[in-house]
Amino acid sequence: EAQVTQNPRYLITVTGKKLTVTCSQNMNHEYMSWYRQDPGLGLRQIYYSMNVEVTDKGDVPEGYKVSRKEKRNFPLILESPSPNQTSLYFCASSLSEWLAPFEQYFGPGTRLTVT
Amino acid sequence: RKEVEQDPGPFNVPEGATVAFNCTYSNSASQSFFWYRQDCRKEPKLLMSVYSSGNEDGRFTAQLNRASQYISLLIRDSKLSDSATYLCVVTYNQGGKLIFGQGTELSVKP
């Protein structure tokens, strides 16, 4: 089954404790992206990757890191989480057309709480 | 001003009604446009792409007006199952940035 998986689905952690949220897709998509969703603010792009070893900042990259060592995986790293990073996080992947992403396939989301 | 703006609603309509949503974008370099549907904090799913010539998929019609920089979504004969949040999305050619509107909530009542 074609899908995007994220782990963990739920996480409660404390300020400053490094964490990684994994994202994996099995559709051989070039493009992958991370978003956070907050009430009243909608979905905002954190980082994206057009292909392996190519990553770029989205609108809200501060406090996050990513890497794209393999085509299927795109982990999101919070080196020192803070309470303002409490949010619902989505990973997505898509084919690229003319160097632009097409239909986004989203993972199920990771609900992160930082206390 | 937000780069992509939607009326957050909620739109409360009876079954069978026709409802229309608009989404305005500020960057004229915007190239590709989409409507996504999101059910109650679940993952968004593509509803339809929006083409310059307009496109229709069953009860759903999407239009693009480049001159006025907005896209629209028309839902005819609303069903209870159409209740969701509808997100408009704008991308740019030769770049990986996607901009989401904050979403418009639709509630269809019996």
Side-chain angles (χ1 to χ4, degrees):
Chain A
E1 181 192 351
Q3 60 183 351
V4 178
T5 56
Q6 292 178 230
N7 281 293
R9 295 289 312 281
Y10 303 91
L11 179 60
I12 300 173
T13 189
V14 297
T15 298
K17 186 176 179 184
K18 181 180 178 180
L19 67 92
T20 299
V21 184
T22 64
C23 174
S24 184
Q25 51 93 5
N26 62 2
M27 295 170 278
N28 203 36
H29 285 164
E30 298 91 0
Y31 181 91
M32 296 186 75
S33 185
W34 276 103
Y35 304 90
R36 60 177 290 174
Q37 187 170 33
D38 303 288
L41 295 176
L43 276 144
R44 293 177 293 168
Q45 193 173 36
I46 302 171
Y47 269 97
Y48 61 92
S49 169
M50 299 294 287
N51 216 322
V52 175
E53 301 291 2
V54 180
T55 62
D56 260 307
K57 295 178 181 179
D59 284 328
V60 289
E62 295 78 19
Y64 304 94
K65 284 174 58 175
V66 292
S67 67
R68 187 93 183 273
K69 294 185 170 54
E70 308 163 280
K71 199 171 189 178
R72 63 183 293 126
N73 296 323
F74 191 44
L76 180 70
I77 302 156
L78 285 73
E79 295 269 3
S80 182
S82 62
N84 64 12
Q85 292 178 298
T86 292
S87 188
L88 177 60
Y89 290 86
F90 288 105
C91 178
S93 73
S94 76
L95 294 169
S96 292
E97 225 173 59
W98 298 106
L99 298 177
F102 199 56
E103 175 186 354
Q104 301 279 291
Y105 291 82
F106 283 83
T110 294
R111 191 170 292 280
L112 172 66
T113 302
V114 184
T115 61
Chain B
R1 183 186 170 190
K2 289 182 182 173
E3 201 162 347
V4 177
E5 290 200 73
Q6 293 181 250
D7 181 344
F11 283 57
N12 296 305
V13 303
E15 267 187 296
T18 295
V19 61
F21 308 135
N22 279 343
C23 169
T24 58
Y25 60 95
S26 59
N27 191 333
S28 59
S30 303
Q31 201 64 29
S32 301
F33 309 89
F34 306 91
W35 283 103
Y36 280 76
R37 171 194 168 125
Q38 185 177 26
D39 294 291
C40 200
R41 306 296 269 179
K42 292 193 172 181
E43 71 271 25
K45 293 184 180 177
L46 181 71
L47 180 65
M48 55 201 308
S49 303
V50 188
Y51 304 118
S52 296
S53 54
N55 48 305
E56 190 173 308
D57 182 4
R59 299 181 293 109
F60 298 84
T61 301
Q63 298 275 357
L64 166 62
N65 185 319
R66 285 193 183 273
S68 301
Q69 294 186 201
Y70 76 84
I71 64 173
S72 64
L73 178 68
L74 182 76
I75 305 175
R76 290 181 298 278
D77 188 24
S78 300
K79 312 288 185 194
L80 296 176
S81 57
D82 293 334
S83 296
T85 296
Y86 291 83
L87 307 166
C88 74
V89 181
V90 172
T91 70
Y92 308 96
N93 260 5
Q94 302 198 4
K97 290 194 79 171
L98 275 80
I99 310 294
F100 282 77
Q102 66 179 89
T104 297
E105 184 184 344
L106 172 66
S107 180
V108 181
K109 308 289 188 187

